[in-house]
Amino acid sequence: MIPFNKPYMTGRELSYIAQAHANGHLSGDGPYTKQCHAWLRESTRASTALLTHSCTAALEMAALLLNLQPGDEVIMPSYTFVSTANAFALRGAVPVFVDIRDDTLNIDQTLIEDAITPRTKAICVVHYAGVACEMDAITAIAEAHGLPVIEDAAQGIMSTYRGAPLGTIGELGAFSFHETKNIISGEGGALLCRKAEYAERAEIIREKGTNRSRFFRGQVDKYTWVDIGSSFLPGEITAAFLSAQLEEAEAITQRRLDIWRRYHDWASDHAVAGRVIRPTIPDGCVHNAHMYYLLLPSLEARTHFIQSLRAQGVQAVFHYIPLHSSPAGRMHGRAGSSMAVTDDISDRVVRMPLWIGVEEHLPHIFEAADQALYAI
Ligand SMILES: *Cc1c(COP(=O)(O)O)cnc(C)c1O
């Protein structure tokens, strides 16, 4: 079976882990964490970047930083991973789901304004497949209503929108280094703060609500409990692994983009014939080839396509049960617009295997997918 995902190792992970072991510093915020922070700041130009143990944790930190109260509302897409909503629901806030565009599958910026109520406290966008949302329009709406924008950029490292790295356009951004993402550390993530205003409190929230980071820098002579918080930081072994990956981020992105383009070229005839719809990359968006997906004509067609690929040894997958129709989404959130596109797309999307090393299998994958599509 050609798997849907296979984590890529650069080859230096183990020696960096051995070095972390030799350094004798295994808890968080050691030399490898500092190296990752510096890399993230330089590559994104965010004023602060803090490693977390997951993107989920980074989103939870964002929700804490916003001081959300029970009953506050946060606008977000329904077509996303559960962590986008969970982070805010954990604060008692209500996720208000807005439909997506049928081209990029990102939140439909034209529907956001109508979903704003006096209780709205933030807009959380998700850059699906590492392709940016319409951030100029979204930022304008947010500014007009005095709302902060949070970017769930879990899939968006190394992508840009009009030259700006994803995760640095809103007030706060969250990356994921989960093994299914482009740059990995098993579990892992980072919180980006565009401006300094959130930075000091972010550091405190991440360190169990203490001013320990200031203490280690010699800025206070003892450290103490100063705010609510939790343990959101990864250990040095994880940071050592991530250091090896970040050093190769450019090369990893280029190799993924080559694979992405080969899928896109292959799918072109099927798109012309109306058998599939290919992803759209709007002008001004530079993406990171996080995902190659296709839209099939119907749920039945998608089911046949995935089964046929499976029978030919290729694992393709679908995702997102829309949050507005999931049990917890119904309990904690509500729809803030029609969900017509979300409901339709989530029945028709299929994700193809995209990982470094899949290149040698592409001829077989294309042949299997041709056969599956002609049979639909
Ligand atoms: C992967 C992902 C997450 C969660 O990332 P973790 O690092 O596993 O917590 C959140 N949001 C989106 C859109 C994702 O794709």
Side-chain angles (χ1 to χ4, degrees):
M1 196 64 140
I2 298 164
F4 165 69
N5 183 54
K6 194 170 162 187
Y8 172 69
M9 315 286 172
T10 68
R12 282 201 294 277
E13 287 82 356
L14 284 180
S15 68
Y16 287 8
I17 287 171
Q19 184 59 49
H21 176 268
N23 290 345
H25 182 136
L26 297 178
S27 61
D29 283 339
Y32 279 109
T33 302
K34 292 199 172 78
Q35 211 169 296
C36 293
H37 286 174
W39 189 96
L40 287 166
R41 278 196 312 269
E42 276 160 36
S43 112
T44 66
R45 302 187 291 279
S47 74
T48 303
L50 296 169
L51 289 194
T52 55
H53 53 70
S54 61
C55 177
T56 301
L59 291 167
E60 289 174 17
M61 286 180 64
L64 284 163
L65 284 164
L66 295 182
N67 283 323
L68 294 175
Q69 302 301 313
D72 287 349
E73 296 178 351
V74 179
I75 290 173
M76 66 181 69
S78 167
Y79 184 70
T80 180
F81 188 63
V82 297
S83 296
T84 318
N86 249 329
F88 302 104
L90 276 168
R91 312 305 324 143
V94 179
V96 174
F97 302 116
V98 167
D99 212 359
I100 50 171
R101 298 155 52 114
D102 64 6
D103 54 357
T104 57
L105 318 193
N106 280 329
I107 192 166
D108 186 338
Q109 70 281 359
T110 67
L111 301 176
I112 291 176
E113 201 137 34
D114 278 349
I116 294 175
T117 74
R119 313 198 79 159
T120 306
K121 290 287 155 31
I123 301 170
C124 183
V125 300
V126 179
H127 303 295
Y128 184 68
V131 179
C133 298
E134 272 308 318
M135 294 309 290
D136 281 352
I138 292 166
T139 304
I141 295 165
E143 278 173 5
H145 293 270
L147 299 171
V149 175
I150 310 304
E151 294 175 78
D152 179 341
Q155 306 175 7
I157 193 167
M158 304 295 281
S159 294
T160 59
Y161 172 80
R162 307 209 164 148
L166 302 193
T168 66
I169 303 164
E171 266 56 42
L172 299 163
F175 282 158
S176 174
F177 304 118
H178 185 264
E179 77 165 36
T180 52
K181 303 303 200 285
N182 289 20
I183 307 296
I184 62 174
S185 60
E187 305 283 351
L191 178 75
L192 305 179
C193 307
R194 179 162 52 89
K195 291 181 291 191
E197 72 179 82
Y198 286 110
E200 189 179 333
R201 202 168 159 235
E203 221 175 57
I204 289 167
I205 286 173
R206 176 171 168 272
E207 266 285 19
K208 301 96 180 165
T210 71
N211 55 357
R212 187 171 178 165
S213 303
R214 289 176 65 85
F215 173 70
F216 282 138
R217 285 197 298 266
Q219 293 164 324
V220 286
D221 59 10
K222 57 183 184 306
Y223 81 85
T224 180
W225 186 25
V226 295
D227 199 341
I228 56 167
S230 188
S231 187
F232 287 117
L233 69 172
E236 273 287 283
I237 301 284
T238 298
F241 190 106
L242 184 62
S243 286
Q245 293 266 321
L246 291 174
E247 285 173 4
E248 293 293 318
E250 189 61 51
I252 289 170
T253 307
Q254 288 312 317
R255 276 188 76 177
R256 294 185 70 100
L257 280 165
D258 285 343
I259 299 164
W260 193 98
R261 285 191 205 102
R262 285 180 66 187
Y263 271 117
H264 209 55
D265 291 345
W266 157 77
S268 151
D269 289 348
H270 292 297
V272 170
R275 287 183 284 266
V276 299
I277 295 173
R278 298 185 300 167
T280 300
I281 312 296
D283 286 347
C285 295
V286 175
H287 73 110
N288 61 0
H290 173 59
M291 201 189 291
Y292 198 84
Y293 67 84
L294 296 168
L295 295 176
L296 275 288
S298 65
L299 175 60
E300 295 69 35
R302 180 180 74 178
T303 306
H304 287 302
F305 182 70
I306 291 175
Q307 279 169 357
S308 172
L309 285 181
R310 177 169 287 274
Q312 298 178 80
V314 179
Q315 188 188 25
V317 303
F318 64 85
H319 69 168
Y320 302 151
I321 308 295
L323 298 183
H324 73 275
S325 53
S326 65
R330 276 202 287 250
M331 203 177 333
H332 299 291
R334 66 174 174 83
S337 76
S338 153
M339 286 289 139
V341 182
T342 299
D343 287 331
D344 176 50
I345 293 291
S346 59
D347 279 348
R348 292 163 53 209
V349 74
V350 57
R351 302 174 61 186
M352 304 299 288
L354 201 174
W355 39 275
I356 291 175
V358 83
E359 292 93 326
E360 59 170 312
H361 303 292
L362 286 177
H364 173 65
I365 293 172
F366 295 159
E367 207 175 298
D370 285 340
Q371 195 173 316
L373 288 172
Y374 290 132
I376 286 168

